[in-house]
Amino acid sequence: MSEEARLGEAICRFGDLLYRRGYAHGSTGNISARLDDGSFLISPTNSCLGLLDPARLARVTPDGRHIGGDPPSKEAFLHLAMYEERAGARGIVHLHSTHAVAVSCLRHDDPTDVLPPITAYHVMRIGRLPLIPYYRPGDRSLTEAVRAAARRHHAVLLANHGPVVAGKSLEDAVFNAEELEETAKLRLLLEGRPTRFLDAAQIAALAAAFPS
Ligand SMILES: [Zn+2]
């Protein structure tokens, strides 16, 4: 099986998984995987993540040209910016998942990290999560904001919108996005309750034991 066929099938399988978990509704969310030649496959515009067809995924060159399949998601520029800044990224997931979007709508004292270190798994899979300011859909200023944050972070949260999460593989990106959504849910469940987060020494011990 070709690399394109293998990754195309994986995108559809993981899209269905995210949809069935309730992380994507209607035609929201998009998912992509980068091929060895630097181009990437991405879910088409106006597609439902639960109903993706491998034959219709869009193929896009590293400079953003559409070279195969249906027209790409209108949010393909988010993926492009993340791939350009992160050479090791092989998969990207963008969701409008409920709890992450809720956190993206809160006022944050520190927009450089908007989810606390609740669990070791969040610290290892996401780490610091910066909030990107709100831009209206279609405003290309968002591209530059994502690009700047992606230099230091593989996961970002778009204000009043949702997360963009990269991984070393497509599977890794999906698992990272799921971890982020579950941490956002925990963060909201714990709102107003005295909570013990991991401390700096515990976070440093994780970084030493599991270097990225
Ligand atoms: Zn979006």
Side-chain angles (χ1 to χ4, degrees), residues 60-83:
V60 177
T61 63
D63 59 355
R65 275 182 305 117
H66 173 216
I67 54 169
D70 285 6
S73 161
K74 292 185 191 74
E75 297 183 312
F77 67 94
L78 297 172
H79 298 243
L80 206 60
M82 188 65 99
Y83 281 132

Side-chain angles (χ1 to χ4, degrees), residues 146-203:
V146 169
R147 192 187 303 282
R151 286 176 198 134
R152 280 170 292 115
H153 302 277
H154 68 281
V156 301
L157 186 60
L158 314 181
N160 303 75
H161 185 167
V164 183
V165 185
K168 299 183 193 80
S169 64
L170 176 61
E171 180 184 78
D172 191 45
V174 169
F175 291 174
N176 288 347
E178 291 189 306
E179 194 65 43
L180 193 158
E181 174 63 13
E182 292 304 315
T183 303
K185 187 175 181 179
L186 291 170
R187 155 77 175 79
L188 297 169
L189 281 171
L190 292 167
E191 183 79 54
R193 298 167 190 259
T195 306
R196 193 193 72 78
F197 298 124
L198 300 195
D199 62 30
Q202 289 167 328
I203 293 170

